[in-house]
């Protein structure tokens, strides 16, 4: 015997992701199809258990048809409740094989569409088409109840119009089930449950306890918002906060080096772009590979490397022949020509570019957290003078931020003098 448990809402495969994202799940046609296909050929019985709120009309009818076409003997037990389309799926089992626990409840109602599915604008033709489609689904449900339960058509339609839960005894009278499952342990008070349900039927004006909520309404409620616009804003805010800040530093040759760091000197391991080797206005050389700073060379290290490289080339010219000397002279002449062209291009660029000193100052300001933060250090509050460094080597490691501040002061002083002239 193959056991089929329908314990979740009935919905499309496309919506499974959202149910599972919130820790739940849904039952779709693909689930039932896979279940039916997995039953061994020598097993001809399906024991279906239902505890379900219902769901999609189209998906429910598809599941009903798949079970009817399985060729298996189907029995159904309602555990807790069978509501809406779950009552249609229940009808896949014949009347004599349908039963329920004593305290189970049943809800039959007319199909409905959430307001948000209708769109913003509808004309008379749209409303008429929607009405005809809803009436078609409603008639199909009534036909199924009449055929599979042998009940009165007008009576079942009147119950669907009320949209209320009924007890197992009422469900048995209407032919939805043929029997109840007797408790194995201590018996419950069935009369109290039936009295409560009957009281609800006698007071139709009393507020309903059953809440109809679409899948979208449930998702928005879990997000703590009411509209899709509020949900998009709630999702976008943490993403905007998570975006890393970056400094755009000017190189000595006028390029822009972007370093993902809010302030301070660039460090090996910082993310940066583009890849390449960049000489900075302060004399440092920054090497970027695969989007990461892999090496930072100071001006002293670079000079030492160059000196070491030149020392090993002396004394080789004396051993060259005339042909080699001629070729070298040609190469020198070509290099001189390239140098002259480069100087001409550089002269034109320098007219528009910032000076090296200006770019060094701008880089220092960016490393200090921006101009507003640097100027706030002078104007927002008083700070006592710092102790002057003393001793051997005390002034070797000058902080880039302080160097930037001093450079700004000097630059402002020069501009002030020019203004007076």
């Amino acid at each position: 015997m193959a056991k089929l448990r329908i314990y979740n809402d009935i919905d499309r495969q496309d919506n499974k992701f959202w149910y599972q994202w919130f820790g739940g799940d849904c039952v779709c046609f693909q689930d039932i199809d896979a279940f039916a296909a997995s039953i061994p050929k020598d097993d001809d019985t399906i024991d279906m258990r239902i505890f379900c709120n219902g769901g999609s009309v189209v998906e429910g009818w598809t599941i009903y048809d798949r079970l009817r076409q399985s060729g298996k003997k189907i029995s159904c037990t309602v555990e807790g409740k069978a509501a809406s389309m779950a009552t249609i799926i229940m009808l896949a089992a014949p009347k004599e094989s349908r039963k329920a626990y004593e305290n189970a409840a049943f809800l039959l109602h007319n199909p409905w569409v959430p307001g948000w599915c209708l769109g913003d604008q509808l004309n008379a033709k749209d409303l008429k088409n929607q009405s005809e489609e809803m009436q078609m689904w409603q008639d199909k449900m009534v036909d199924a109840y009449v055929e599979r339960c042998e009940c009165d058509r007008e009576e079942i339609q009147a119950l669907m119009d009320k949209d209320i839960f009924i007890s197992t005894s009422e469900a048995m009278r209407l032919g939805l089930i043929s029997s109840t499952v007797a408790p194995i342990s201590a018996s419950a008070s069935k009369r109290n449950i039936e009295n409560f349900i009957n009281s609800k039927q006698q007071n139709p004006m009393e507020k309903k306890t059953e809440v109809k909520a679409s899948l979208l309404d449930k998702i928005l409620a879990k997000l703590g918002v009411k509209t899709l616009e509020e949900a998009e804003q709630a999702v976008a805010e943490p993403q905007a906060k998570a975006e890393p800040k970056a400094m755009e530093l000017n190189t000595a040759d006028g390029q822009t080096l972007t370093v993902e760091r809010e302030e301070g000197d660039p460090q090996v391991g910082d993310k940066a772009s583009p890849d390449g080797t960049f000489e900075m206005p302060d004399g440092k050389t920054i090497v970027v590979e695969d989007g990461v700073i892999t090496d930072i060379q100071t001006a002293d290290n670079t000079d030492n490397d160059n000196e070491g490289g030149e020392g090993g080339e002396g004394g080789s010219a004396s051993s060259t022949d005339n042909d080699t000397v001629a070729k070298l002279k040609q190469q020198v002449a070509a290099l001189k020509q390239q140098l002259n062209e480069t100087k001409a291009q550089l002269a034109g660029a320098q007219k528009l570019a910032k000076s090296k000193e200006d770019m060094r100052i701008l880089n220092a300001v960016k490393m200090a957290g921006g101009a507003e933060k640097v100027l706030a250090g002078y104007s927002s509050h008083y700070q006592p003078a710092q102790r002057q460094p003393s001793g051997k080597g005390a002034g070797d490691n000058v902080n880039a931020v302080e160097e930037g501040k001093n450079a700004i002061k000097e630059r402002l002083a020069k501009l002030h003098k020019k203004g007076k002239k």
Side-chain angles (χ1 to χ4, degrees):
M1 177 183 295
K3 288 187 176 294
L4 173 60
R5 294 178 173 84
I6 301 179
Y7 290 162
N8 294 306
D9 291 353
I10 303 162
D11 212 332
R12 305 194 317 270
Q13 171 77 15
D14 297 345
N15 290 331
K16 260 187 178 294
F17 168 79
W18 296 107
Y19 283 95
Q20 294 172 354
W21 190 47
F22 287 102
D25 203 351
C26 69
V27 177
C28 64
F29 166 74
Q30 286 83 348
D31 296 333
I32 305 304
D33 182 63
F35 166 81
S38 67
I39 303 175
K41 293 183 179 180
D42 57 352
D43 188 353
D44 62 349
T45 305
I46 296 177
D47 178 22
M48 179 166 54
R49 303 299 178 101
I50 292 181
F51 180 30
C52 179
N53 292 314
S56 168
V57 173
V58 176
E59 204 78 9
W61 277 111
T62 309
I63 292 173
Y64 169 84
D65 290 337
R66 181 66 179 90
L67 291 173
R68 291 292 305 275
Q69 293 297 323
S70 66
K72 308 292 184 181
K73 298 177 182 178
I74 302 174
S75 62
C76 179
T77 303
V78 177
E79 302 173 342
K81 65 178 174 181
S84 188
M85 283 306 296
T87 60
I88 295 296
I89 295 176
M90 176 186 68
L91 300 181
K95 179 178 178 180
E96 62 273 13
S97 299
R98 299 194 298 263
K99 53 188 177 181
Y101 288 165
E102 290 186 348
N103 297 317
F106 299 79
L107 173 65
L108 285 68
H109 66 78
N110 299 320
W112 54 274
V113 176
W116 58 268
C117 288
L118 298 176
D120 297 332
Q121 297 179 348
L122 292 176
N123 54 36
K125 184 177 180 181
D126 295 333
L127 292 172
K128 181 180 179 181
N129 292 339
Q130 187 66 55
S131 175
E132 291 176 355
E133 180 182 348
M134 298 300 294
Q135 188 62 52
M136 180 270 293
W137 291 118
Q138 182 174 323
D139 292 342
K140 282 177 62 70
M141 296 178 72
V142 174
D143 292 342
Y145 291 133
V146 172
E147 176 188 354
R148 303 291 287 176
C149 302
E150 300 177 351
C151 58
D152 181 73
R153 187 181 190 87
E154 293 182 358
E155 184 179 13
I156 205 71
Q157 180 60 72
L159 178 61
M160 293 171 65
D161 293 339
K162 290 182 179 179
D163 195 358
I164 60 174
F165 277 99
I166 60 174
S167 64
T168 53
S169 60
E170 181 68 7
M172 195 181 309
R173 186 187 70 80
L174 292 172
L176 292 171
I177 57 175
S178 60
S179 62
T180 58
V181 180
I184 299 176
S185 57
S187 60
S189 177
K190 178 179 177 182
R191 182 176 301 176
N192 292 339
I193 300 296
E194 292 184 355
N195 289 340
F196 171 77
I197 295 177
N198 291 333
S199 67
K200 293 296 181 181
Q201 295 177 358
Q202 295 171 4
N203 298 281
M205 298 304 293
E206 188 173 342
K207 185 178 179 180
K208 295 181 181 180
T209 59
E210 180 71 13
V211 179
K212 296 179 181 178
S214 66
L215 174 60
L216 180 61
D217 295 332
K218 293 178 182 178
I219 294 175
L220 293 177
K222 291 195 175 184
L223 287 174
V225 296
K226 296 181 179 180
T227 64
L228 284 173
E229 290 75 14
E230 294 179 2
E232 292 175 354
Q233 183 178 0
V235 173
E237 286 179 354
Q239 292 179 347
K241 294 179 181 178
E243 292 181 357
K245 295 183 178 179
M247 299 187 302
E248 292 186 351
L249 305 179
N250 298 316
T251 64
D253 58 358
Q255 298 185 58
T256 300
L257 175 62
T258 303
V259 181
E260 291 190 9
R261 170 179 287 269
E262 294 186 16
E263 57 184 43
D265 292 341
Q267 302 292 329
V268 173
D270 288 349
K271 293 183 178 180
S273 62
D275 291 351
T277 301
F278 304 92
E279 182 181 349
M280 308 305 292
D282 58 2
K284 294 180 180 179
T285 301
I286 298 178
V287 180
V288 181
E289 295 179 358
D290 296 330
V292 178
I293 296 177
T294 58
D295 188 21
I296 299 178
Q297 302 173 1
T298 61
D300 295 339
N301 292 340
T302 305
D303 293 341
N304 291 337
D305 293 341
N306 292 336
E307 291 174 2
E310 293 173 358
E313 296 180 1
S316 60
S318 60
S319 61
T320 59
D321 54 17
N322 295 333
D323 292 339
T324 304
V325 172
K327 290 181 180 179
L328 290 174
K329 287 182 179 181
Q330 292 177 358
Q331 293 178 2
V332 170
L335 290 174
K336 285 182 179 181
Q337 183 179 355
Q338 292 180 4
L339 178 60
N340 293 332
E341 293 176 354
T342 303
K343 286 182 178 180
Q345 294 175 359
L346 179 60
Q350 285 178 341
K351 293 180 180 179
L352 301 175
K354 300 174 183 175
S355 69
K356 188 173 182 180
E357 179 68 13
D358 291 339
M359 290 187 290
R360 186 180 67 82
I361 293 173
L362 289 174
N363 286 347
V365 171
K366 293 175 181 177
M367 295 177 189
E372 294 181 358
K373 187 171 181 180
V374 173
L375 294 176
Y378 293 106
S379 59
S380 63
H381 59 279
Y382 169 77
Q383 290 185 352
Q386 298 181 357
R387 296 176 61 185
Q388 296 298 323
S390 62
K392 185 178 180 180
D396 293 341
N397 298 323
V398 179
N399 186 278
V401 177
E402 295 300 327
E403 183 182 1
K405 292 180 179 178
N406 294 333
I408 291 175
K409 286 182 178 179
E410 295 174 2
R411 188 65 174 173
L412 291 176
K414 291 179 181 179
L415 294 174
H416 184 64
K417 289 181 180 179
K418 290 182 180 179
K420 288 184 177 181
K421 292 178 181 179

